[in-house]
Amino acid sequence: MVHVLSGRTLIRPTDPERSRAFYGEQLGLAVYREFGTGAERGTVYFLGGGFLEVSGRSETPPPPAVRLWMQVADVAAAHEELAAKGVAIVRPPRQEPWGLIEMWIADPDGLPIVLVEVPAEHPLRYRPGI
């Protein structure tokens, strides 16, 4: 079995500076490390139990099958904060039939980001008898 010590998601934005401003300033993700120089330098952000690396450059936006899922403590508070910072809300928070509270946004290249709150009574948090 492979013993994974850490993981990260890598994205190659079409405009690295614009993406760094989005993830670092608008979303407020904390920087884990930076490397390289110039416009295409790499920035790695903390992403809960993993990392998000923004580095290099792509000529095209990511395919629609790719998306980020980020669990937050309070989706309503995230909605207020991000709307105040000018982040376009693709879909405001709502409780899904499966019990999670989700809000959808997108990064500057249109990469879908789902912000998720797991309610206290949801089975992902607590399963009686287990």
Side-chain angles (χ1 to χ4, degrees):
M1 178 175 180
V2 175
H3 183 79
V4 177
L5 299 176
S6 181
R8 74 173 66 165
T9 299
L10 283 74
I11 60 173
R12 305 278 188 245
T14 59
D15 183 339
E17 291 299 331
R18 181 181 67 176
S19 290
R20 267 191 286 282
F22 174 79
Y23 287 104
E25 296 167 23
Q26 288 188 290
L27 287 189
L29 299 182
V31 173
Y32 168 66
R33 69 180 291 253
E34 296 178 284
F35 56 90
T37 60
E40 296 176 27
R41 69 189 180 283
T43 304
V44 181
Y45 298 96
F46 284 102
L47 197 59
F51 301 97
L52 174 67
E53 178 178 319
V54 177
S55 63
R57 181 183 299 267
S58 176
E59 296 300 316
T60 60
V66 176
R67 57 195 66 229
L68 295 177
W69 191 92
M70 299 179 188
Q71 183 178 342
V72 298
D74 186 337
V75 169
H79 178 257
E80 286 182 30
E81 180 182 339
L82 295 176
K85 290 181 177 180
V87 174
I89 308 299
V90 174
R91 199 196 77 191
R94 73 174 183 219
Q95 188 151 18
E96 299 293 347
W98 46 90
L100 300 176
I101 302 168
E102 296 185 4
M103 175 177 85
W104 301 348
I105 61 175
D107 86 349
D109 282 326
L111 176 69
I113 300 171
V114 181
L115 297 179
V116 179
E117 178 182 336
V118 180
E121 68 281 359
H122 195 278
L124 283 176
R125 278 215 187 166
Y126 177 70
R127 292 177 67 182
I130 293 182

